[in-house]
Amino acid sequence: MTRRAAAALVGVLLAGLVACQRPADLMLVPQTAPLPVRTAPNPPPPVARGTLSLTPDVVRIGRREPWALSATLTDTAGTPVRDGTLVTLTGRGPGGAELVAARVTVNGEARWTLLPDTAGTWTLDVHAGTWHAQTRGVARSALLGGVPPLLWAGDRLRIGPLTWDDGALPDDGTPVEIAALDARGGGLWSTRGFTVQGRVDMDTPPLRGARTLRLAVAGAVVTLPWTQP
């Protein structure tokens, strides 16, 4: 091989080596899968319409008659709202009585079973998002309007029998709040008793200034003269 041919061959080899060392040829490009694009789930349509139902309108405290309250809700398309939609109930009764309860919908409906313990008119407000509805119910005492008899035996007092408005005796263990009041209506003594066969028996302290015996049971309040011997 002539010197000229050898020089040409060396030039070709050097040119190839330089071409192989270009950065573009030496760069390692990792083969990675494209990152998934996360999208937020579609929010449930808002509550557009609803109906509120209360059954019965009047319940009797002490007879374990509950209110059945239900809210049936639909979205903007007129279909039942999604299961799990939060629905909140706020109830307000006489004397500052209050109840708060939350439910979630099933098949577009939320339900409550309520046993009021305060006699009078209750206002029931139900909210689901921006939707709101209100209804009213009446709770009254089932205690018979007659005056229950009192029997004193020294410091031992027997009250009753107490009866419901249909003549039935209250369940054993029905609580009865008892208080002794002075001439001005001030409290001198109070306790809680529980019925047994419609009667309440208890020991009372000697109270010279007592003038009135007040009984509170099942939403009713009865006042009687304090006749302790």
Short mmCIF file of all heavy atoms in Angstrom, two decimals, residues 77-141:
data_model
loop_
_atom_site.label_atom_id
_atom_site.label_comp_id
_atom_site.label_asym_id
_atom_site.label_seq_id
_atom_site.Cartn_x
_atom_site.Cartn_y
_atom_site.Cartn_z
N ALA A 77 -81.69 16.94 36.66
CA ALA A 77 -82.25 16.13 35.58
C ALA A 77 -83.56 15.46 35.99
O ALA A 77 -84.16 14.74 35.19
CB ALA A 77 -81.24 15.09 35.13
N GLY A 78 -83.96 15.65 37.25
CA GLY A 78 -85.19 15.03 37.72
C GLY A 78 -85.03 13.61 38.19
O GLY A 78 -86.02 12.92 38.46
N THR A 79 -83.80 13.14 38.34
CA THR A 79 -83.54 11.79 38.83
C THR A 79 -83.15 11.85 40.30
O THR A 79 -82.69 12.89 40.79
CB THR A 79 -82.42 11.13 38.02
OG1 THR A 79 -81.23 11.94 38.12
CG2 THR A 79 -82.82 10.99 36.56
N PRO A 80 -83.33 10.76 41.05
CA PRO A 80 -82.95 10.76 42.47
C PRO A 80 -81.48 11.14 42.64
O PRO A 80 -80.62 10.73 41.84
CB PRO A 80 -83.22 9.32 42.91
CG PRO A 80 -84.28 8.84 41.98
CD PRO A 80 -83.98 9.48 40.66
N VAL A 81 -81.20 11.92 43.66
CA VAL A 81 -79.82 12.31 43.92
C VAL A 81 -78.99 11.08 44.26
O VAL A 81 -79.52 10.02 44.61
CB VAL A 81 -79.74 13.34 45.07
CG1 VAL A 81 -80.44 14.62 44.69
CG2 VAL A 81 -80.33 12.76 46.36
N ARG A 82 -77.68 11.23 44.14
CA ARG A 82 -76.78 10.12 44.40
C ARG A 82 -76.91 9.61 45.83
O ARG A 82 -77.11 10.39 46.76
CB ARG A 82 -75.34 10.54 44.15
CG ARG A 82 -75.00 10.77 42.68
CD ARG A 82 -73.52 11.04 42.53
NE ARG A 82 -73.16 11.27 41.13
CZ ARG A 82 -71.92 11.52 40.72
NH1 ARG A 82 -70.93 11.58 41.60
NH2 ARG A 82 -71.67 11.71 39.45
N ASP A 83 -76.76 8.30 46.00
CA ASP A 83 -76.71 7.74 47.34
C ASP A 83 -75.56 8.39 48.12
O ASP A 83 -74.47 8.60 47.58
CB ASP A 83 -76.49 6.23 47.29
CG ASP A 83 -77.73 5.47 46.83
OD1 ASP A 83 -78.76 6.12 46.59
OD2 ASP A 83 -77.65 4.23 46.69
N GLY A 84 -75.82 8.67 49.39
CA GLY A 84 -74.80 9.29 50.22
C GLY A 84 -74.86 10.80 50.28
O GLY A 84 -74.02 11.42 50.93
N THR A 85 -75.84 11.41 49.61
CA THR A 85 -76.00 12.87 49.71
C THR A 85 -76.39 13.24 51.14
O THR A 85 -77.32 12.67 51.71
CB THR A 85 -77.08 13.36 48.73
OG1 THR A 85 -76.68 13.05 47.39
CG2 THR A 85 -77.29 14.86 48.85
N LEU A 86 -75.67 14.18 51.73
CA LEU A 86 -75.90 14.55 53.13
C LEU A 86 -77.14 15.42 53.27
O LEU A 86 -77.32 16.39 52.54
CB LEU A 86 -74.69 15.31 53.67
CG LEU A 86 -74.76 15.76 55.13
CD1 LEU A 86 -74.79 14.57 56.07
CD2 LEU A 86 -73.57 16.67 55.46
N VAL A 87 -78.00 15.05 54.23
CA VAL A 87 -79.22 15.80 54.52
C VAL A 87 -79.25 16.04 56.03
O VAL A 87 -79.09 15.09 56.82
CB VAL A 87 -80.48 15.04 54.08
CG1 VAL A 87 -81.72 15.94 54.21
CG2 VAL A 87 -80.35 14.53 52.65
N THR A 88 -79.46 17.29 56.44
CA THR A 88 -79.40 17.66 57.86
C THR A 88 -80.76 18.12 58.35
O THR A 88 -81.44 18.92 57.68
CB THR A 88 -78.36 18.77 58.08
OG1 THR A 88 -77.10 18.32 57.60
CG2 THR A 88 -78.24 19.10 59.56
N LEU A 89 -81.14 17.63 59.51
CA LEU A 89 -82.40 18.02 60.16
C LEU A 89 -82.09 18.82 61.41
O LEU A 89 -81.24 18.45 62.22
CB LEU A 89 -83.20 16.77 60.54
CG LEU A 89 -84.30 16.96 61.59
CD1 LEU A 89 -85.45 17.78 61.02
CD2 LEU A 89 -84.81 15.62 62.09
N THR A 90 -82.82 19.94 61.58
CA THR A 90 -82.78 20.72 62.81
C THR A 90 -84.21 20.92 63.29
O THR A 90 -85.06 21.40 62.53
CB THR A 90 -82.13 22.10 62.58
OG1 THR A 90 -80.81 21.91 62.08
CG2 THR A 90 -82.05 22.87 63.89
N GLY A 91 -84.49 20.49 64.51
CA GLY A 91 -85.82 20.63 65.08
C GLY A 91 -85.81 21.55 66.28
O GLY A 91 -84.90 21.48 67.11
N ARG A 92 -86.83 22.42 66.37
CA ARG A 92 -86.94 23.34 67.50
C ARG A 92 -88.32 23.23 68.10
O ARG A 92 -89.33 23.32 67.39
CB ARG A 92 -86.65 24.78 67.06
CG ARG A 92 -85.20 25.00 66.63
CD ARG A 92 -84.94 26.41 66.18
NE ARG A 92 -83.53 26.63 65.86
CZ ARG A 92 -82.96 26.32 64.70
NH1 ARG A 92 -83.72 25.79 63.73
NH2 ARG A 92 -81.67 26.53 64.50
N GLY A 93 -88.35 23.04 69.42
CA GLY A 93 -89.60 22.89 70.13
C GLY A 93 -89.77 23.94 71.20
O GLY A 93 -88.96 24.87 71.33
N PRO A 94 -90.82 23.81 72.00
CA PRO A 94 -91.09 24.80 73.05
C PRO A 94 -89.98 24.84 74.09
O PRO A 94 -89.31 23.84 74.34
CB PRO A 94 -92.41 24.30 73.65
CG PRO A 94 -93.01 23.42 72.61
CD PRO A 94 -91.86 22.78 71.91
N GLY A 95 -89.82 26.02 74.68
CA GLY A 95 -88.86 26.17 75.77
C GLY A 95 -87.42 25.97 75.38
O GLY A 95 -86.59 25.63 76.22
N GLY A 96 -87.08 26.19 74.11
CA GLY A 96 -85.70 26.03 73.67
C GLY A 96 -85.29 24.60 73.38
O GLY A 96 -84.10 24.34 73.14
N ALA A 97 -86.24 23.66 73.40
CA ALA A 97 -85.91 22.27 73.07
C ALA A 97 -85.41 22.20 71.63
O ALA A 97 -85.93 22.86 70.74
CB ALA A 97 -87.14 21.38 73.24
N GLU A 98 -84.38 21.40 71.40
CA GLU A 98 -83.76 21.34 70.08
C GLU A 98 -83.24 19.94 69.80
O GLU A 98 -82.84 19.20 70.72
CB GLU A 98 -82.61 22.35 70.00
CG GLU A 98 -81.99 22.50 68.61
CD GLU A 98 -80.93 23.58 68.55
OE1 GLU A 98 -80.06 23.57 69.46
OE2 GLU A 98 -80.96 24.42 67.65
N LEU A 99 -83.26 19.57 68.53
CA LEU A 99 -82.64 18.33 68.10
C LEU A 99 -81.97 18.56 66.76
O LEU A 99 -82.42 19.36 65.95
CB LEU A 99 -83.66 17.19 68.01
CG LEU A 99 -84.82 17.30 67.01
CD1 LEU A 99 -84.42 16.75 65.64
CD2 LEU A 99 -86.04 16.54 67.53
N VAL A 100 -80.84 17.87 66.54
CA VAL A 100 -80.10 17.95 65.29
C VAL A 100 -79.72 16.53 64.89
O VAL A 100 -79.21 15.76 65.72
CB VAL A 100 -78.83 18.82 65.42
CG1 VAL A 100 -78.05 18.83 64.11
CG2 VAL A 100 -79.18 20.24 65.83
N ALA A 101 -79.99 16.16 63.64
CA ALA A 101 -79.68 14.82 63.17
C ALA A 101 -79.38 14.87 61.68
O ALA A 101 -80.04 15.59 60.94
CB ALA A 101 -80.83 13.85 63.45
N ALA A 102 -78.37 14.12 61.25
CA ALA A 102 -77.99 14.07 59.84
C ALA A 102 -78.22 12.66 59.30
O ALA A 102 -78.05 11.67 60.01
CB ALA A 102 -76.53 14.48 59.66
N ARG A 103 -78.61 12.60 58.04
CA ARG A 103 -78.78 11.32 57.34
C ARG A 103 -78.17 11.46 55.96
O ARG A 103 -77.94 12.56 55.46
CB ARG A 103 -80.26 10.95 57.21
CG ARG A 103 -80.97 10.69 58.53
CD ARG A 103 -80.52 9.37 59.14
NE ARG A 103 -81.32 9.05 60.33
CZ ARG A 103 -81.03 9.45 61.55
NH1 ARG A 103 -79.97 10.23 61.75
NH2 ARG A 103 -81.78 9.11 62.58
N VAL A 104 -77.93 10.32 55.30
CA VAL A 104 -77.52 10.33 53.90
C VAL A 104 -78.59 9.61 53.10
O VAL A 104 -79.30 8.74 53.61
CB VAL A 104 -76.15 9.66 53.70
CG1 VAL A 104 -75.06 10.47 54.37
CG2 VAL A 104 -76.15 8.23 54.22
N THR A 105 -78.71 10.00 51.84
CA THR A 105 -79.78 9.48 51.01
C THR A 105 -79.50 8.04 50.55
O THR A 105 -78.35 7.65 50.33
CB THR A 105 -79.99 10.35 49.78
OG1 THR A 105 -78.74 10.44 49.06
CG2 THR A 105 -80.47 11.74 50.16
N VAL A 106 -80.56 7.30 50.40
CA VAL A 106 -80.56 5.98 49.76
C VAL A 106 -81.71 6.00 48.77
O VAL A 106 -82.86 6.25 49.16
CB VAL A 106 -80.73 4.83 50.78
CG1 VAL A 106 -80.81 3.49 50.04
CG2 VAL A 106 -79.60 4.83 51.79
N ASN A 107 -81.39 5.78 47.51
CA ASN A 107 -82.40 5.88 46.45
C ASN A 107 -83.10 7.24 46.46
O ASN A 107 -84.31 7.33 46.24
CB ASN A 107 -83.43 4.75 46.56
CG ASN A 107 -82.81 3.37 46.36
OD1 ASN A 107 -81.87 3.22 45.58
ND2 ASN A 107 -83.33 2.38 47.07
N GLY A 108 -82.34 8.26 46.78
CA GLY A 108 -82.87 9.61 46.74
C GLY A 108 -83.68 10.02 47.95
O GLY A 108 -84.30 11.09 47.95
N GLU A 109 -83.66 9.22 49.02
CA GLU A 109 -84.50 9.52 50.18
C GLU A 109 -83.70 9.46 51.47
O GLU A 109 -82.83 8.58 51.64
CB GLU A 109 -85.67 8.54 50.25
CG GLU A 109 -86.70 8.89 51.31
CD GLU A 109 -87.92 7.97 51.26
OE1 GLU A 109 -87.74 6.78 50.97
OE2 GLU A 109 -89.03 8.46 51.52
N ALA A 110 -83.98 10.39 52.38
CA ALA A 110 -83.42 10.39 53.74
C ALA A 110 -84.58 10.30 54.72
O ALA A 110 -85.61 10.95 54.54
CB ALA A 110 -82.61 11.65 53.99
N ARG A 111 -84.40 9.49 55.77
CA ARG A 111 -85.51 9.23 56.70
C ARG A 111 -85.05 9.41 58.14
O ARG A 111 -83.91 9.13 58.48
CB ARG A 111 -86.06 7.82 56.53
CG ARG A 111 -86.66 7.54 55.16
CD ARG A 111 -87.21 6.12 55.10
NE ARG A 111 -87.83 5.82 53.82
CZ ARG A 111 -88.41 4.65 53.54
NH1 ARG A 111 -88.43 3.69 54.45
NH2 ARG A 111 -88.96 4.47 52.35
N TRP A 112 -85.99 9.87 58.98
CA TRP A 112 -85.77 9.99 60.42
C TRP A 112 -86.98 9.41 61.16
O TRP A 112 -88.11 9.51 60.69
CB TRP A 112 -85.63 11.45 60.86
CG TRP A 112 -84.45 12.16 60.31
CD1 TRP A 112 -83.24 12.36 60.91
CD2 TRP A 112 -84.37 12.84 59.04
NE1 TRP A 112 -82.42 13.10 60.10
CE2 TRP A 112 -83.07 13.40 58.95
CE3 TRP A 112 -85.26 12.99 57.99
CZ2 TRP A 112 -82.66 14.13 57.84
CZ3 TRP A 112 -84.85 13.72 56.87
CH2 TRP A 112 -83.57 14.27 56.80
N THR A 113 -86.72 8.84 62.34
CA THR A 113 -87.77 8.44 63.27
C THR A 113 -87.55 9.24 64.55
O THR A 113 -86.49 9.11 65.19
CB THR A 113 -87.73 6.94 63.56
OG1 THR A 113 -87.93 6.21 62.34
CG2 THR A 113 -88.83 6.55 64.54
N LEU A 114 -88.53 10.06 64.93
CA LEU A 114 -88.35 11.02 66.02
C LEU A 114 -89.35 10.74 67.13
O LEU A 114 -90.53 10.52 66.88
CB LEU A 114 -88.55 12.45 65.50
CG LEU A 114 -87.70 12.85 64.28
CD1 LEU A 114 -88.13 14.21 63.78
CD2 LEU A 114 -86.23 12.82 64.61
N LEU A 115 -88.86 10.80 68.37
CA LEU A 115 -89.71 10.65 69.56
C LEU A 115 -89.56 11.92 70.40
O LEU A 115 -88.65 12.01 71.23
CB LEU A 115 -89.31 9.42 70.37
CG LEU A 115 -89.76 8.07 69.83
CD1 LEU A 115 -89.05 6.94 70.56
CD2 LEU A 115 -91.27 7.91 69.99
N PRO A 116 -90.40 12.92 70.21
CA PRO A 116 -90.25 14.16 70.99
C PRO A 116 -90.55 13.92 72.46
O PRO A 116 -91.37 13.06 72.82
CB PRO A 116 -91.28 15.09 70.35
CG PRO A 116 -92.31 14.18 69.78
CD PRO A 116 -91.57 12.96 69.31
N ASP A 117 -89.88 14.68 73.32
CA ASP A 117 -90.12 14.56 74.76
C ASP A 117 -90.63 15.85 75.37
O ASP A 117 -90.74 15.95 76.59
CB ASP A 117 -88.85 14.11 75.48
CG ASP A 117 -87.68 15.05 75.24
OD1 ASP A 117 -87.87 16.08 74.56
OD2 ASP A 117 -86.58 14.76 75.74
N THR A 118 -90.93 16.85 74.53
CA THR A 118 -91.46 18.11 75.01
C THR A 118 -92.76 18.40 74.28
O THR A 118 -92.81 18.37 73.04
CB THR A 118 -90.46 19.26 74.75
OG1 THR A 118 -89.22 18.96 75.40
CG2 THR A 118 -91.00 20.58 75.29
N ALA A 119 -93.81 18.67 75.06
CA ALA A 119 -95.12 18.91 74.45
C ALA A 119 -95.17 20.28 73.81
O ALA A 119 -94.59 21.24 74.32
CB ALA A 119 -96.22 18.77 75.51
N GLY A 120 -95.88 20.37 72.69
CA GLY A 120 -96.05 21.63 71.99
C GLY A 120 -95.78 21.47 70.51
O GLY A 120 -95.68 20.35 69.99
N THR A 121 -95.68 22.60 69.80
CA THR A 121 -95.44 22.59 68.37
C THR A 121 -93.95 22.59 68.08
O THR A 121 -93.20 23.41 68.64
CB THR A 121 -96.10 23.82 67.71
OG1 THR A 121 -97.51 23.78 67.94
CG2 THR A 121 -95.85 23.82 66.20
N TRP A 122 -93.52 21.70 67.20
CA TRP A 122 -92.13 21.59 66.79
C TRP A 122 -92.00 22.05 65.34
O TRP A 122 -92.84 21.71 64.50
CB TRP A 122 -91.63 20.16 66.91
CG TRP A 122 -91.36 19.72 68.32
CD1 TRP A 122 -92.28 19.42 69.28
CD2 TRP A 122 -90.08 19.54 68.91
NE1 TRP A 122 -91.66 19.06 70.45
CE2 TRP A 122 -90.30 19.13 70.25
CE3 TRP A 122 -88.77 19.69 68.46
CZ2 TRP A 122 -89.26 18.86 71.12
CZ3 TRP A 122 -87.74 19.41 69.34
CH2 TRP A 122 -87.98 19.01 70.65
N THR A 123 -90.95 22.80 65.06
CA THR A 123 -90.61 23.21 63.69
C THR A 123 -89.41 22.40 63.24
O THR A 123 -88.37 22.38 63.90
CB THR A 123 -90.28 24.71 63.63
OG1 THR A 123 -91.41 25.47 64.08
CG2 THR A 123 -89.95 25.13 62.21
N LEU A 124 -89.55 21.72 62.10
CA LEU A 124 -88.52 20.83 61.59
C LEU A 124 -88.00 21.38 60.27
O LEU A 124 -88.75 21.52 59.30
CB LEU A 124 -89.09 19.42 61.39
CG LEU A 124 -89.78 18.80 62.62
CD1 LEU A 124 -90.43 17.49 62.25
CD2 LEU A 124 -88.80 18.61 63.77
N ASP A 125 -86.71 21.73 60.25
CA ASP A 125 -86.05 22.27 59.06
C ASP A 125 -85.09 21.22 58.50
O ASP A 125 -84.30 20.64 59.26
CB ASP A 125 -85.27 23.54 59.39
CG ASP A 125 -86.18 24.72 59.66
OD1 ASP A 125 -86.69 25.28 58.69
OD2 ASP A 125 -86.40 25.05 60.85
N VAL A 126 -85.15 21.01 57.19
CA VAL A 126 -84.29 20.03 56.53
C VAL A 126 -83.50 20.73 55.43
O VAL A 126 -84.07 21.49 54.63
CB VAL A 126 -85.13 18.87 55.95
CG1 VAL A 126 -84.25 17.90 55.19
CG2 VAL A 126 -85.86 18.14 57.07
N HIS A 127 -82.18 20.48 55.39
CA HIS A 127 -81.28 21.11 54.41
C HIS A 127 -80.50 20.03 53.68
O HIS A 127 -80.05 19.05 54.28
CB HIS A 127 -80.29 22.05 55.11
CG HIS A 127 -80.93 23.25 55.73
ND1 HIS A 127 -81.00 24.48 55.11
CD2 HIS A 127 -81.54 23.42 56.93
CE1 HIS A 127 -81.61 25.35 55.90
NE2 HIS A 127 -81.95 24.72 57.01
N ALA A 128 -80.31 20.23 52.38
CA ALA A 128 -79.41 19.42 51.57
C ALA A 128 -78.78 20.36 50.55
O ALA A 128 -79.42 20.74 49.57
CB ALA A 128 -80.16 18.29 50.87
N GLY A 129 -77.54 20.77 50.80
CA GLY A 129 -76.93 21.78 49.95
C GLY A 129 -77.68 23.09 50.08
O GLY A 129 -77.93 23.59 51.18
N THR A 130 -78.10 23.65 48.95
CA THR A 130 -78.86 24.90 48.97
C THR A 130 -80.36 24.65 49.08
O THR A 130 -81.13 25.61 49.22
CB THR A 130 -78.58 25.71 47.70
OG1 THR A 130 -78.94 24.93 46.55
CG2 THR A 130 -77.10 26.10 47.61
N TRP A 131 -80.78 23.38 49.03
CA TRP A 131 -82.21 23.07 49.13
C TRP A 131 -82.64 23.09 50.59
O TRP A 131 -81.91 22.64 51.48
CB TRP A 131 -82.49 21.70 48.52
CG TRP A 131 -83.93 21.29 48.64
CD1 TRP A 131 -84.96 21.63 47.83
CD2 TRP A 131 -84.48 20.43 49.65
NE1 TRP A 131 -86.13 21.05 48.26
CE2 TRP A 131 -85.86 20.31 49.38
CE3 TRP A 131 -83.95 19.75 50.75
CZ2 TRP A 131 -86.72 19.55 50.17
CZ3 TRP A 131 -84.79 19.00 51.54
CH2 TRP A 131 -86.16 18.90 51.25
N HIS A 132 -83.84 23.59 50.85
CA HIS A 132 -84.36 23.70 52.22
C HIS A 132 -85.86 23.52 52.21
O HIS A 132 -86.55 23.98 51.29
CB HIS A 132 -84.00 25.07 52.81
CG HIS A 132 -84.75 25.39 54.06
ND1 HIS A 132 -85.67 26.42 54.15
CD2 HIS A 132 -84.73 24.81 55.29
CE1 HIS A 132 -86.17 26.46 55.37
NE2 HIS A 132 -85.61 25.49 56.07
N ALA A 133 -86.36 22.83 53.21
CA ALA A 133 -87.81 22.68 53.39
C ALA A 133 -88.11 22.66 54.88
O ALA A 133 -87.25 22.34 55.71
CB ALA A 133 -88.32 21.41 52.71
N GLN A 134 -89.36 22.99 55.21
CA GLN A 134 -89.75 23.08 56.61
C GLN A 134 -91.15 22.50 56.79
O GLN A 134 -92.01 22.63 55.92
CB GLN A 134 -89.74 24.55 57.06
CG GLN A 134 -90.04 24.78 58.53
CD GLN A 134 -90.05 26.26 58.87
OE1 GLN A 134 -91.10 26.90 58.84
NE2 GLN A 134 -88.87 26.81 59.19
N THR A 135 -91.36 21.85 57.94
CA THR A 135 -92.68 21.37 58.29
C THR A 135 -92.85 21.49 59.80
O THR A 135 -91.88 21.74 60.53
CB THR A 135 -92.88 19.90 57.83
OG1 THR A 135 -94.23 19.51 58.03
CG2 THR A 135 -91.97 18.96 58.60
N ARG A 136 -94.09 21.31 60.25
CA ARG A 136 -94.37 21.42 61.69
C ARG A 136 -95.19 20.21 62.14
O ARG A 136 -95.99 19.66 61.39
CB ARG A 136 -95.13 22.71 62.00
CG ARG A 136 -94.28 23.96 61.92
CD ARG A 136 -95.08 25.21 62.27
NE ARG A 136 -94.24 26.39 62.35
CZ ARG A 136 -93.87 27.12 61.32
NH1 ARG A 136 -94.31 26.80 60.09
NH2 ARG A 136 -93.09 28.17 61.47
N GLY A 137 -94.94 19.83 63.40
CA GLY A 137 -95.69 18.76 64.02
C GLY A 137 -96.02 19.14 65.45
O GLY A 137 -95.36 20.00 66.05
N VAL A 138 -97.02 18.49 66.00
CA VAL A 138 -97.47 18.78 67.36
C VAL A 138 -97.25 17.54 68.22
O VAL A 138 -97.63 16.42 67.84
CB VAL A 138 -98.95 19.20 67.38
CG1 VAL A 138 -99.43 19.40 68.82
CG2 VAL A 138 -99.16 20.47 66.57
N ALA A 139 -96.66 17.75 69.38
CA ALA A 139 -96.52 16.70 70.38
C ALA A 139 -97.34 17.09 71.60
O ALA A 139 -97.25 18.23 72.07
CB ALA A 139 -95.05 16.51 70.77
N ARG A 140 -98.16 16.19 72.08
CA ARG A 140 -98.95 16.48 73.27
C ARG A 140 -98.81 15.34 74.26
O ARG A 140 -98.49 14.20 73.89
CB ARG A 140 -100.42 16.71 72.92
CG ARG A 140 -101.14 15.51 72.33
CD ARG A 140 -102.59 15.87 72.03
NE ARG A 140 -103.33 14.77 71.46
CZ ARG A 140 -103.93 13.81 72.17
NH1 ARG A 140 -103.85 13.84 73.50
NH2 ARG A 140 -104.60 12.84 71.58
N SER A 141 -99.04 15.67 75.50
CA SER A 141 -98.94 14.64 76.52
C SER A 141 -100.10 13.68 76.43
O SER A 141 -101.23 14.07 76.10
CB SER A 141 -98.92 15.28 77.91
OG SER A 141 -98.92 14.27 78.91
#
